[in-house]
Amino acid sequence: SQALLQEDDDEAKATGYHADAAKVDKAKFPKYAAGQTCANCQLYAPDGNKPSGGCALFYGKDVLAKGWCNAWEKKA
Ligand code: SF4
């Protein structure tokens, strides 16, 4: 595991990353739909059963499984 991406990191702000998908403001992020989380995003790389894992977007940082960002993509 790696350092956790923080919401106030520049790359997090650039993609609208939220540590808790439930707190995403739909008015600001119209792409967001209830139920979307990093855990069910195509770009997420789970780390066993840990609460965080890798994301193809963020090199060297982990994201929370319950997080979300504007690049969310349905798992194929
Ligand atoms: Fe989470 Fe997917 Fe965004 Fe990565 S691309 S932060 S896994 S929602």
Side-chain angles (χ1 to χ4, degrees):
S1 67
Q2 318 170 93
L4 266 188
L5 182 69
Q6 302 298 316
E7 286 184 346
D8 58 358
D9 289 346
D10 287 344
E11 67 266 49
K13 284 186 191 155
T15 54
Y17 173 76
H18 287 64
D20 183 353
K23 292 187 177 144
V24 176
D25 180 352
K26 271 212 73 154
K28 280 191 191 159
F29 299 96
K31 261 192 72 189
Y32 173 76
Q36 296 178 351
T37 62
C38 292
N40 59 33
C41 171
Q42 177 69 24
L43 300 173
Y44 186 66
D47 185 2
N49 286 325
K50 292 196 180 130
S52 62
C55 167
L57 271 192
F58 302 112
Y59 179 77
K61 299 254 175 89
D62 279 352
V63 297
L64 288 168
K66 66 182 176 64
W68 181 90
C69 90
N70 211 30
W72 184 90
E73 217 176 279
K74 190 177 161 66
K75 207 182 266 186

